[in-house]
Amino acid sequence: MREALTELCARGLALRRPYRGVEVIAPDPAHLAESFEAMSEVEALCAALAAGRMSITQTIVLEDLMTQMAEAQAAGAHETYQQLNFDFHDRICQFSGNGQLAQIARDLRNRFEILRRAQLQRPERIGQSLAEHRQIFAALAERRADSAARLVRAHLRGAMAATLRLRDGADTPD
């Protein structure tokens, strides 16, 4: 239990109050926006690097993930899609060839994973996400580094907006 509460505090989802315990809170919108901004810049850099460094085998791995994501979306398998979404982003960062950047991106992604997963409960958000992933994949496969970076930034800004709407109660999952 202590470990779970420590993890919630680390993710900004709870506050530890001396002599009073831990209080679960809604994440501060400014902190959430800053975290998404940092994540989008790190992942954009990873995408730009990956565009120039990915092997044919790595391109095929991403293509396979895209196929699995489309199948999960068609089947309405939200949890499967969410895991594949995480894997897609993680693989791009791994394929950048820079382990330090990949780890920073993973740490930032994990910080708000609960909220990011929540915004992917809506079928229309999953459809939008998949379309954006297809564009990112095309830019990577065609080795268009600037386009890949721009598309990743735009994709994560969309995820941030959906997450903030969800946090503010303006967009509740089904």
Side-chain angles (χ1 to χ4, degrees):
M1 178 65 121
R2 184 175 294 146
E3 188 176 314
L5 292 173
T6 299
E7 182 67 23
L8 286 174
C9 290
R11 291 182 184 211
L13 299 174
L15 289 176
R16 188 174 305 279
R17 304 224 188 254
Y19 309 108
R20 296 174 71 202
V22 175
E23 175 185 349
V24 176
I25 60 167
D28 174 55
H31 179 68
L32 190 60
E34 287 175 359
S35 295
F36 265 97
E37 182 178 53
M39 184 172 56
S40 71
E41 289 305 313
V42 171
E43 287 200 27
L45 179 54
C46 287
L49 291 171
R53 296 177 176 171
M54 280 178 24
S55 68
I56 297 294
T57 302
Q58 291 169 328
T59 303
I60 292 168
V61 166
L62 285 182
E63 187 173 38
D64 185 50
L65 275 171
M66 293 298 308
T67 300
Q68 291 176 51
M69 290 168 79
E71 291 168 356
Q73 184 218 15
H78 297 176
E79 303 241 343
T80 301
Y81 184 88
Q82 292 164 2
Q83 184 58 54
L84 293 167
N85 176 65
F86 185 93
D87 293 346
F88 180 77
H89 286 267
D90 197 52
R91 291 297 180 111
I92 291 171
C93 292
Q94 288 174 20
F95 296 162
S96 74
N98 187 314
Q100 294 293 317
L101 284 174
Q103 185 60 51
I104 291 167
R106 189 175 304 112
D107 291 346
L108 287 167
R109 206 175 313 113
N110 283 336
R111 186 174 298 166
F112 293 105
E113 186 62 18
I114 294 167
L115 292 171
R116 290 184 70 229
R117 284 180 176 265
Q119 57 97 16
L120 284 173
Q121 289 294 314
R122 301 193 62 84
E124 63 274 11
R125 179 63 194 133
I126 290 176
Q128 182 181 4
S129 171
L130 182 59
E132 292 165 358
H133 285 154
R134 285 182 173 133
Q135 292 176 332
I136 292 166
F137 171 74
L140 290 167
E142 295 167 9
R143 300 195 178 280
R144 293 183 287 120
D146 290 342
S147 293
R150 180 181 45 77
L151 290 164
V152 166
R153 280 188 195 97
H155 171 64
L156 290 172
R157 276 196 301 270
M160 177 186 69
T163 300
L164 287 171
R165 281 193 307 273
L166 185 63
R167 182 224 173 262
D168 294 338
D171 191 23
T172 55
D174 294 333

PDB file of all heavy atoms in Angstrom, residues 43-65:
ATOM      1  N   GLU A  43       9.705  13.067 -27.450  1.00  0.00           N
ATOM      2  CA  GLU A  43       9.275  12.058 -28.430  1.00  0.00           C
ATOM      3  C   GLU A  43       9.448  12.548 -29.856  1.00  0.00           C
ATOM      4  O   GLU A  43       9.744  11.758 -30.755  1.00  0.00           O
ATOM      5  CB  GLU A  43       7.834  11.621 -28.155  1.00  0.00           C
ATOM      6  CG  GLU A  43       7.727  10.743 -26.929  1.00  0.00           C
ATOM      7  CD  GLU A  43       6.464   9.909 -26.883  1.00  0.00           C
ATOM      8  OE1 GLU A  43       5.896   9.588 -27.954  1.00  0.00           O
ATOM      9  OE2 GLU A  43       6.059   9.561 -25.763  1.00  0.00           O
ATOM     10  N   ALA A  44       9.284  13.860 -30.083  1.00  0.00           N
ATOM     11  CA  ALA A  44       9.506  14.404 -31.428  1.00  0.00           C
ATOM     12  C   ALA A  44      10.972  14.246 -31.821  1.00  0.00           C
ATOM     13  O   ALA A  44      11.283  13.884 -32.965  1.00  0.00           O
ATOM     14  CB  ALA A  44       9.089  15.875 -31.484  1.00  0.00           C
ATOM     15  N   LEU A  45      11.866  14.512 -30.889  1.00  0.00           N
ATOM     16  CA  LEU A  45      13.292  14.324 -31.160  1.00  0.00           C
ATOM     17  C   LEU A  45      13.596  12.852 -31.438  1.00  0.00           C
ATOM     18  O   LEU A  45      14.333  12.525 -32.375  1.00  0.00           O
ATOM     19  CB  LEU A  45      14.125  14.833 -29.982  1.00  0.00           C
ATOM     20  CG  LEU A  45      15.643  14.685 -30.098  1.00  0.00           C
ATOM     21  CD1 LEU A  45      16.182  15.306 -31.381  1.00  0.00           C
ATOM     22  CD2 LEU A  45      16.308  15.297 -28.871  1.00  0.00           C
ATOM     23  N   CYS A  46      12.994  11.970 -30.649  1.00  0.00           N
ATOM     24  CA  CYS A  46      13.181  10.528 -30.886  1.00  0.00           C
ATOM     25  C   CYS A  46      12.674  10.141 -32.273  1.00  0.00           C
ATOM     26  O   CYS A  46      13.340   9.370 -32.987  1.00  0.00           O
ATOM     27  CB  CYS A  46      12.448   9.712 -29.821  1.00  0.00           C
ATOM     28  SG  CYS A  46      13.230   9.725 -28.192  1.00  0.00           S
ATOM     29  N   ALA A  47      11.528  10.673 -32.675  1.00  0.00           N
ATOM     30  CA  ALA A  47      10.968  10.345 -33.992  1.00  0.00           C
ATOM     31  C   ALA A  47      11.884  10.838 -35.109  1.00  0.00           C
ATOM     32  O   ALA A  47      12.110  10.124 -36.091  1.00  0.00           O
ATOM     33  CB  ALA A  47       9.571  10.944 -34.135  1.00  0.00           C
ATOM     34  N   ALA A  48      12.416  12.047 -34.950  1.00  0.00           N
ATOM     35  CA  ALA A  48      13.324  12.578 -35.972  1.00  0.00           C
ATOM     36  C   ALA A  48      14.565  11.702 -36.097  1.00  0.00           C
ATOM     37  O   ALA A  48      14.997  11.389 -37.212  1.00  0.00           O
ATOM     38  CB  ALA A  48      13.705  14.016 -35.629  1.00  0.00           C
ATOM     39  N   LEU A  49      15.103  11.298 -34.971  1.00  0.00           N
ATOM     40  CA  LEU A  49      16.278  10.420 -35.002  1.00  0.00           C
ATOM     41  C   LEU A  49      15.930   9.049 -35.592  1.00  0.00           C
ATOM     42  O   LEU A  49      16.688   8.499 -36.389  1.00  0.00           O
ATOM     43  CB  LEU A  49      16.862  10.260 -33.598  1.00  0.00           C
ATOM     44  CG  LEU A  49      17.515  11.511 -33.006  1.00  0.00           C
ATOM     45  CD1 LEU A  49      17.848  11.286 -31.535  1.00  0.00           C
ATOM     46  CD2 LEU A  49      18.740  11.909 -33.798  1.00  0.00           C
ATOM     47  N   ALA A  50      14.783   8.508 -35.184  1.00  0.00           N
ATOM     48  CA  ALA A  50      14.364   7.185 -35.673  1.00  0.00           C
ATOM     49  C   ALA A  50      14.171   7.206 -37.187  1.00  0.00           C
ATOM     50  O   ALA A  50      14.506   6.236 -37.869  1.00  0.00           O
ATOM     51  CB  ALA A  50      13.079   6.739 -34.970  1.00  0.00           C
ATOM     52  N   ALA A  51      13.646   8.306 -37.717  1.00  0.00           N
ATOM     53  CA  ALA A  51      13.423   8.396 -39.165  1.00  0.00           C
ATOM     54  C   ALA A  51      14.713   8.177 -39.947  1.00  0.00           C
ATOM     55  O   ALA A  51      14.698   7.584 -41.019  1.00  0.00           O
ATOM     56  CB  ALA A  51      12.810   9.751 -39.521  1.00  0.00           C
ATOM     57  N   GLY A  52      15.812   8.622 -39.399  1.00  0.00           N
ATOM     58  CA  GLY A  52      17.088   8.455 -40.086  1.00  0.00           C
ATOM     59  C   GLY A  52      17.838   7.193 -39.724  1.00  0.00           C
ATOM     60  O   GLY A  52      18.787   6.816 -40.412  1.00  0.00           O
ATOM     61  N   ARG A  53      17.409   6.521 -38.655  1.00  0.00           N
ATOM     62  CA  ARG A  53      18.180   5.387 -38.149  1.00  0.00           C
ATOM     63  C   ARG A  53      17.473   4.040 -38.201  1.00  0.00           C
ATOM     64  O   ARG A  53      18.119   3.006 -38.020  1.00  0.00           O
ATOM     65  CB  ARG A  53      18.575   5.654 -36.686  1.00  0.00           C
ATOM     66  CG  ARG A  53      19.485   6.836 -36.526  1.00  0.00           C
ATOM     67  CD  ARG A  53      19.792   7.099 -35.070  1.00  0.00           C
ATOM     68  NE  ARG A  53      20.754   8.190 -34.929  1.00  0.00           N
ATOM     69  CZ  ARG A  53      21.077   8.744 -33.775  1.00  0.00           C
ATOM     70  NH1 ARG A  53      20.540   8.301 -32.647  1.00  0.00           N
ATOM     71  NH2 ARG A  53      21.938   9.732 -33.739  1.00  0.00           N
ATOM     72  N   MET A  54      16.177   4.032 -38.430  1.00  0.00           N
ATOM     73  CA  MET A  54      15.432   2.765 -38.383  1.00  0.00           C
ATOM     74  C   MET A  54      15.879   1.814 -39.483  1.00  0.00           C
ATOM     75  O   MET A  54      16.062   2.211 -40.627  1.00  0.00           O
ATOM     76  CB  MET A  54      13.923   3.014 -38.525  1.00  0.00           C
ATOM     77  CG  MET A  54      13.275   3.466 -37.254  1.00  0.00           C
ATOM     78  SD  MET A  54      11.492   3.826 -37.352  1.00  0.00           S
ATOM     79  CE  MET A  54      10.894   2.920 -38.711  1.00  0.00           C
ATOM     80  N   SER A  55      15.993   0.559 -39.113  1.00  0.00           N
ATOM     81  CA  SER A  55      16.295  -0.487 -40.086  1.00  0.00           C
ATOM     82  C   SER A  55      14.999  -0.957 -40.739  1.00  0.00           C
ATOM     83  O   SER A  55      13.900  -0.616 -40.284  1.00  0.00           O
ATOM     84  CB  SER A  55      16.965  -1.670 -39.372  1.00  0.00           C
ATOM     85  OG  SER A  55      16.034  -2.313 -38.515  1.00  0.00           O
ATOM     86  N   ILE A  56      15.137  -1.748 -41.772  1.00  0.00           N
ATOM     87  CA  ILE A  56      13.958  -2.342 -42.427  1.00  0.00           C
ATOM     88  C   ILE A  56      13.193  -3.199 -41.417  1.00  0.00           C
ATOM     89  O   ILE A  56      11.960  -3.140 -41.353  1.00  0.00           O
ATOM     90  CB  ILE A  56      14.386  -3.200 -43.644  1.00  0.00           C
ATOM     91  CG1 ILE A  56      15.072  -2.344 -44.702  1.00  0.00           C
ATOM     92  CG2 ILE A  56      13.204  -3.949 -44.221  1.00  0.00           C
ATOM     93  CD1 ILE A  56      14.186  -1.316 -45.354  1.00  0.00           C
ATOM     94  N   THR A  57      13.901  -3.964 -40.619  1.00  0.00           N
ATOM     95  CA  THR A  57      13.266  -4.821 -39.616  1.00  0.00           C
ATOM     96  C   THR A  57      12.466  -3.980 -38.623  1.00  0.00           C
ATOM     97  O   THR A  57      11.338  -4.335 -38.266  1.00  0.00           O
ATOM     98  CB  THR A  57      14.329  -5.658 -38.868  1.00  0.00           C
ATOM     99  OG1 THR A  57      15.052  -6.428 -39.826  1.00  0.00           O
ATOM    100  CG2 THR A  57      13.700  -6.561 -37.835  1.00  0.00           C
ATOM    101  N   GLN A  58      13.023  -2.864 -38.187  1.00  0.00           N
ATOM    102  CA  GLN A  58      12.317  -1.999 -37.247  1.00  0.00           C
ATOM    103  C   GLN A  58      11.088  -1.361 -37.893  1.00  0.00           C
ATOM    104  O   GLN A  58      10.046  -1.220 -37.250  1.00  0.00           O
ATOM    105  CB  GLN A  58      13.270  -0.932 -36.704  1.00  0.00           C
ATOM    106  CG  GLN A  58      14.330  -1.523 -35.788  1.00  0.00           C
ATOM    107  CD  GLN A  58      15.431  -0.539 -35.449  1.00  0.00           C
ATOM    108  OE1 GLN A  58      15.790   0.329 -36.250  1.00  0.00           O
ATOM    109  NE2 GLN A  58      15.984  -0.690 -34.251  1.00  0.00           N
ATOM    110  N   THR A  59      11.201  -1.020 -39.159  1.00  0.00           N
ATOM    111  CA  THR A  59      10.046  -0.478 -39.886  1.00  0.00           C
ATOM    112  C   THR A  59       8.935  -1.516 -39.947  1.00  0.00           C
ATOM    113  O   THR A  59       7.755  -1.189 -39.754  1.00  0.00           O
ATOM    114  CB  THR A  59      10.459  -0.036 -41.309  1.00  0.00           C
ATOM    115  OG1 THR A  59      11.517   0.912 -41.198  1.00  0.00           O
ATOM    116  CG2 THR A  59       9.296   0.583 -42.060  1.00  0.00           C
ATOM    117  N   ILE A  60       9.293  -2.754 -40.175  1.00  0.00           N
ATOM    118  CA  ILE A  60       8.307  -3.836 -40.217  1.00  0.00           C
ATOM    119  C   ILE A  60       7.654  -4.032 -38.845  1.00  0.00           C
ATOM    120  O   ILE A  60       6.445  -4.278 -38.743  1.00  0.00           O
ATOM    121  CB  ILE A  60       8.948  -5.142 -40.743  1.00  0.00           C
ATOM    122  CG1 ILE A  60       9.302  -4.977 -42.219  1.00  0.00           C
ATOM    123  CG2 ILE A  60       8.040  -6.343 -40.518  1.00  0.00           C
ATOM    124  CD1 ILE A  60      10.183  -6.072 -42.785  1.00  0.00           C
ATOM    125  N   VAL A  61       8.442  -3.903 -37.775  1.00  0.00           N
ATOM    126  CA  VAL A  61       7.889  -4.010 -36.415  1.00  0.00           C
ATOM    127  C   VAL A  61       6.816  -2.938 -36.208  1.00  0.00           C
ATOM    128  O   VAL A  61       5.728  -3.226 -35.696  1.00  0.00           O
ATOM    129  CB  VAL A  61       9.012  -3.891 -35.353  1.00  0.00           C
ATOM    130  CG1 VAL A  61       8.435  -3.666 -33.959  1.00  0.00           C
ATOM    131  CG2 VAL A  61       9.897  -5.126 -35.372  1.00  0.00           C
ATOM    132  N   LEU A  62       7.102  -1.701 -36.614  1.00  0.00           N
ATOM    133  CA  LEU A  62       6.110  -0.631 -36.475  1.00  0.00           C
ATOM    134  C   LEU A  62       4.890  -0.878 -37.356  1.00  0.00           C
ATOM    135  O   LEU A  62       3.751  -0.631 -36.949  1.00  0.00           O
ATOM    136  CB  LEU A  62       6.722   0.733 -36.809  1.00  0.00           C
ATOM    137  CG  LEU A  62       7.647   1.345 -35.770  1.00  0.00           C
ATOM    138  CD1 LEU A  62       8.123   2.719 -36.228  1.00  0.00           C
ATOM    139  CD2 LEU A  62       6.978   1.445 -34.410  1.00  0.00           C
ATOM    140  N   GLU A  63       5.129  -1.384 -38.556  1.00  0.00           N
ATOM    141  CA  GLU A  63       4.016  -1.690 -39.460  1.00  0.00           C
ATOM    142  C   GLU A  63       3.110  -2.769 -38.846  1.00  0.00           C
ATOM    143  O   GLU A  63       1.886  -2.678 -38.910  1.00  0.00           O
ATOM    144  CB  GLU A  63       4.556  -2.138 -40.807  1.00  0.00           C
ATOM    145  CG  GLU A  63       3.482  -2.316 -41.862  1.00  0.00           C
ATOM    146  CD  GLU A  63       4.079  -2.604 -43.220  1.00  0.00           C
ATOM    147  OE1 GLU A  63       5.092  -3.329 -43.301  1.00  0.00           O
ATOM    148  OE2 GLU A  63       3.508  -2.118 -44.207  1.00  0.00           O
ATOM    149  N   ASP A  64       3.721  -3.764 -38.218  1.00  0.00           N
ATOM    150  CA  ASP A  64       2.956  -4.811 -37.551  1.00  0.00           C
ATOM    151  C   ASP A  64       2.144  -4.237 -36.390  1.00  0.00           C
ATOM    152  O   ASP A  64       0.981  -4.602 -36.198  1.00  0.00           O
ATOM    153  CB  ASP A  64       3.892  -5.918 -37.064  1.00  0.00           C
ATOM    154  CG  ASP A  64       3.140  -7.084 -36.465  1.00  0.00           C
ATOM    155  OD1 ASP A  64       2.189  -7.584 -37.109  1.00  0.00           O
ATOM    156  OD2 ASP A  64       3.477  -7.491 -35.329  1.00  0.00           O
ATOM    157  N   LEU A  65       2.747  -3.334 -35.634  1.00  0.00           N
ATOM    158  CA  LEU A  65       2.010  -2.681 -34.547  1.00  0.00           C
ATOM    159  C   LEU A  65       0.816  -1.902 -35.098  1.00  0.00           C
ATOM    160  O   LEU A  65      -0.266  -1.913 -34.504  1.00  0.00           O
ATOM    161  CB  LEU A  65       2.923  -1.746 -33.757  1.00  0.00           C
ATOM    162  CG  LEU A  65       3.757  -2.357 -32.653  1.00  0.00           C
ATOM    163  CD1 LEU A  65       4.760  -1.339 -32.108  1.00  0.00           C
ATOM    164  CD2 LEU A  65       2.872  -2.874 -31.525  1.00  0.00           C
TER     165      LEU A  65
END
